[in-house]
Structure formats: C-alpha cells, structure tokens
Amino acid sequence: MITAAFILTLVAGQVAATPTTPKTKPNIVVIFCDDLGYGDVGCFGHPTIRTPEIDRMAAEGQKWSSFYVAAPVCTPSRAGLMTGRLPIRNGMTSPKRVVLFPDSKGGLPDEEVTIAECLRERGYATACFGKWHLGHLPQYLPQRQGFDEYFGIPYSNDMSAGGGAPLMRGNQVIERPVDQTTVTRRYTDEAIRFIESHREQPFFLYLPHTMPHVPLHASEEFRGTSPRGLYGDVVEEIDQSVGRVLQSLRDNGLSSKTLVVFSSDNGPWLSQRLNGGSAGLLRAGKGTTFEGGMRVPTIFWWPGTITAGSHVHEMGSTLDLLATSCALSGADLPANRTLDSLDLAPAMFGKGKSPRDTMFYYTRGELHAVRSGAYKLHLKTRHPVNYGQPPESHDPPLLFNVEVDPSEQRDIAAKHPDVVAKMRELIAVHQSGVTPVEDQLAR
Ligand code: MG
C-alpha cells in the first residue's frame, strides 16, 4: 500500500500518541448526511423540522458545536473523512473541477489508507451503504477501499451517465434510474441487516445518506408531512432512519459497545433556495469557507461511556474520525504519510480538551482560511450563494473571533495585527508541509 511517493514526514503534534491497546473493540457507526446545514435539526435550533430521534441521540450523547468537515463540497469532504488527510494531500480537491462527475477518470488513490482498511485489519466487518463519491470506476469503489459490502448511489443523486442515477450493489448496477423515494429507507434496511448479522463481531458501518442533497425525494410516508415542506419531509425521514439504527443497536444489546457519529458532509446548498437547508446563525453555506460551509451539526453517542447530554465547544473534525477510530480499536495508524487526524477520545470522554486547535479551510485546491483557537483568518472568500463565481481576495485579510462572533460579521483585523501576523505564519508553516500530487478530479 505504501509507495516511495508516500515517504512523507509526520508533522509533530498532528498525530495521536500511541494508545495503549484497548481490551474491547467498539463498533463504530458513522451516519453522514449530504448537504444538511448546521441549523437543520431540532437540537441545533431548527424551529419547524421535527427530529425527535436525532434530538434524543443528542440528549443521550454529546453535541459537538464546532465540528468541521475537510472541505465545503462532497468529494473532498468524504476523502478527508475516509483518510484523515486534507484532500490537498491526495489530489481530491482541484482548481479545475469541484467534485468527481460521471465522466471523471479519477478517484481516491489505491495507496490511500481508509478508516475501513485500518479497522478491517483489526478484525472488523465493514460496510458502506449510501453515497460514495470517491470514484465510480471499478478500481475506486468501496470494496477496493476496505469495505466488505457496498450498496448505494456511487455519486450525487443529480448526476447521471445516461438513464438516471444508478443504484449499485458491490460493483454491479442493479437499478437505473434508482427510485430515489426509496433510498433512505433501503440504506437503513441494509444497515439494520448488517448490524444484526454482525452482532458477535466488531463492525464499522458507514451510512452516507444520499439526502437531503437536491433533487429531494421522500417516501410516501413522509411526503407532504413536514411544516418545513419537502426539505423537512426529507430530513424527517433521515431522522426516522437514525432512530431505527439506534434502536437496532439497543435491540441487539450493542448500545454499550458502539460509538455512533452523526454529521453532514458540508453546509446547505443555498442556491437551491427552499430546496436547500439552513446554516442557522452561521454565515453562508456549501461551497464556501465561511462557517456555514464547513461547520456541521455533529453528535457522538455511546451510552454508558459518553456522558449523556454533554457538549463539546472545542474544535473537532471528520478528519479526526480515523485517528479516533484507530485509538479506540487498537488499530494501527496508516504509516509513512502526513496525517491531519487527531484522537478526540479524551474530549469525548470528558477527560481533557480536544487536541484540535487549528482548522485549515480549503476549497478547489486552494487554502482560503485558517482557524486557530477563537480566531479565523480569511485570505479569500466566495460568494455566499453563487459559490461558482471567482473568489474575492482580501488584503489585508479578514479576521473574526468566531467564539464571540460565530456569524463572522465583525472584521477585527485592524485591531489585531499581531494575531494576523501569527496566523499568516501558521499558514506558511502548513503550506511548506504540503507536497503537490496528481489532481484526481481533473482527470
Ligand atoms: Mg454534499
């Protein structure tokens, strides 16, 4: 798996300390929505979308209110989650194309090591049910990246190579066009079957929903029922799915040995107007490096281990799920490469602060912003809605205190030249550690 091209240095402070090997191997479940905004669930403040199951998950678990994805659009965000590496390191973000398309020839390179590969090596059963979007050609599909099973739409549900979006099982297309009103329920059915059949063996279940990415589709049971309209119908159906997955874990006696993470791949798709979601009090949405593009509603759940109703205000990221999963399971971290992944377990268990104090915000192959502690510096920004427009450069950069001002409304750069200088230095150090690689999205 490791080639000469990947003899890279490990950045000090960016890799979790070697954990003592845990006695038990917890199951790990990641429920990942598509384009669900920070403000789109009840426990993160939505006034009319009803999410009793997600709210219960938060009440029994832990809210992370400064949790970030690796990029503000699908493909690079998912590459970051799967590998614990910023997508700039493996060619999964590009100045030429935003994400992978059905005519793309590229995908997540084989030499990348995914969470699924780390955990499978440690004896876990692994499955992915839902949207992959890390390459749809046979050499890039989930079963080439550590998953025993795959069922889902391999890219976004608005994409088609002719004949509509395909539904796949393993490497085979089994339905085209897929009936999108059924996918949330069918992914959930697969997840529950997988949980039941692996109750005696540790497992990693990745459940990346196709929804609420546009075009929106809800089943008969939910269509026309939410006060928020079709977008609400779709989110409420995902809420039911979350409830079914957690209930299946309880019914199989697995709730005390399973970590479940609920999150979203990027912020709301604002140009879709009422068919897109809401970032709540955060600025802008999908495609931008404002908080609304990359800070996502996130909940960790592990009854008896994570304190019920707890709340972490410090930073965390989907990038950290790899190091956290390795630490919890005793799996080896991928060797001989730079990781951007930190073990969140101490913060999750209330035993310490989150190790993450810095976040780099990339879009289209370019670093646009950095957060360090409470401060966030923007070198460039994109239009909040029409993010396809060329970015605007800021010199001097914009500086916000996102703890005092999470909506990024009050630029304080002029008052804090020392902070601006420090953050420019942080960017320079980071950029000196990034090696150019082949652009996978432009192939
Ligand atoms: Mg998305």
Side-chain angles (χ1 to χ4, degrees):
M1 247 182 274
I2 296 158
T3 67
F6 280 83
I7 300 172
L8 299 170
T9 48
L10 295 172
V11 177
Q14 289 288 299
V15 175
T18 310
T20 46
T21 304
K23 283 191 228 70
T24 55
K25 297 183 209 169
N27 306 309
I28 296 171
V29 178
V30 176
I31 301 173
F32 207 46
C33 300
D34 194 351
D35 295 3
L36 182 76
Y38 190 81
D40 282 328
V41 293
C43 57
F44 278 80
H46 201 283
T48 48
I49 299 177
R50 298 163 302 193
T51 54
E53 301 294 345
I54 296 166
D55 300 351
R56 179 180 173 191
M57 182 184 180
E60 294 176 357
Q62 182 173 63
K63 270 172 73 170
W64 284 70
S65 52
S66 299
F67 200 87
Y68 293 94
V69 284
V73 287
C74 301
T75 298
S77 168
R78 286 149 203 270
L81 184 157
M82 273 294 127
T83 64
R85 281 151 60 77
L86 287 166
I88 191 73
R89 301 195 196 278
N90 44 37
M92 295 298 279
T93 177
S94 162
K96 300 193 179 111
R97 294 192 101 178
V98 189
V99 294
L100 289 166
F101 288 89
D103 64 348
S104 296
K105 303 283 185 290
L108 186 67
D110 199 34
E111 58 269 28
E112 288 297 307
V113 178
T114 67
I115 301 182
E117 287 172 312
C118 294
L119 294 177
R120 185 153 79 171
E121 188 77 13
R122 187 78 182 126
Y124 280 61
T126 56
C128 171
F129 302 128
K131 172 176 172 176
W132 177 237
H133 216 180
L134 294 174
H136 62 278
L137 297 177
Q139 63 271 33
Y140 298 117
L141 286 168
Q143 286 169 305
R144 290 293 293 267
Q145 290 289 7
F147 289 99
D148 302 333
E149 291 188 46
Y150 177 58
F151 175 84
I153 303 176
Y155 32 68
S156 296
N157 61 333
D158 59 344
M159 294 178 178
S160 160
L167 180 70
M168 302 185 77
R169 185 177 294 282
N171 292 350
Q172 303 298 320
V173 174
I174 58 167
E175 194 175 309
R176 187 199 294 267
V178 56
D179 177 355
Q180 295 202 30
T181 65
T182 66
V183 293
T184 299
R185 179 180 51 74
R186 287 158 87 187
Y187 296 165
T188 311
D189 292 344
E190 293 287 330
I192 290 169
R193 174 192 55 74
F194 178 79
I195 290 168
E196 285 171 355
S197 60
H198 294 282
R199 76 178 76 138
E200 308 292 347
Q201 180 196 4
F203 58 79
F204 172 57
L205 167 60
Y206 176 48
L207 180 52
H209 281 289
T210 284
M211 300 289 155
H213 191 283
V214 174
L216 299 173
H217 290 279
S219 67
E220 190 83 33
E221 184 187 345
F222 284 89
R223 204 171 323 132
T225 62
S226 172
R228 168 62 178 83
L230 181 56
Y231 185 84
D233 299 341
V234 168
V235 175
E236 292 183 19
E237 185 159 16
I238 290 173
D239 182 69
Q240 182 197 54
S241 167
V242 171
R244 288 181 64 203
V245 169
L246 299 190
Q247 193 54 43
S248 163
L249 293 169
R250 292 185 195 100
D251 292 346
N252 286 286
L254 298 174
S255 59
S256 66
K257 38 184 159 177
T258 306
L259 167 66
V260 184
V261 179
F262 174 88
S263 195
S264 177
D265 73 330
N266 51 250
W269 197 356
L270 298 177
S271 64
Q272 299 292 330
R273 301 170 160 222
L274 286 176
N275 282 338
S278 165
L281 56 46
L282 303 180
R283 183 165 174 179
K286 174 177 179 169
T288 80
T289 47
F290 287 113
E291 293 294 283
M294 289 178 57
R295 198 196 288 205
V296 286
T298 302
I299 302 165
F300 285 26
W301 182 90
W302 188 352
T305 297
I306 288 176
T307 303
S310 54
H311 182 174
V312 177
H313 300 267
E314 295 151 15
M315 278 185 257
S317 171
T318 50
L319 288 163
D320 301 326
L321 296 181
L322 181 132
T324 305
S325 299
C326 287
L328 293 175
S329 64
D332 293 330
L333 285 168
N336 303 319
R337 64 199 61 212
T338 303
L339 291 176
D340 302 288
S341 192
L342 300 163
D343 174 13
L344 300 179
M348 199 194 308
F349 300 152
K351 297 206 170 109
K353 284 172 78 77
S354 169
R356 179 166 291 284
D357 58 7
T358 306
M359 191 68 212
F360 295 101
Y361 300 67
Y362 276 88
T363 175
R364 301 198 188 193
E366 193 176 47
L367 183 72
H368 278 199
V370 61
R371 178 176 169 186
S372 174
Y375 291 108
K376 181 173 173 189
L377 186 87
H378 291 271
L379 300 173
K380 293 186 181 181
T381 55
R382 286 191 179 273
H383 189 280
V385 176
N386 300 316
Y387 62 82
Q389 292 179 12
E392 186 184 349
S393 293
H394 302 283
D395 193 13
L398 307 176
L399 182 72
F400 299 107
N401 180 322
V402 293
E403 289 182 0
V404 173
D405 177 23
S407 306
E408 300 176 277
Q409 296 297 312
R410 314 283 168 217
D411 176 16
I412 53 172
K415 271 196 264 173
H416 297 284
D418 51 327
V419 176
V420 172
K422 252 197 203 157
M423 292 182 77
R424 281 188 187 277
E425 176 62 19
L426 194 62
I427 290 171
V429 170
H430 166 71
Q431 289 183 321
S432 71
V434 174
T435 314
V437 293
E438 185 183 9
D439 181 338
Q440 294 292 331
L441 307 192
R443 288 174 59 201

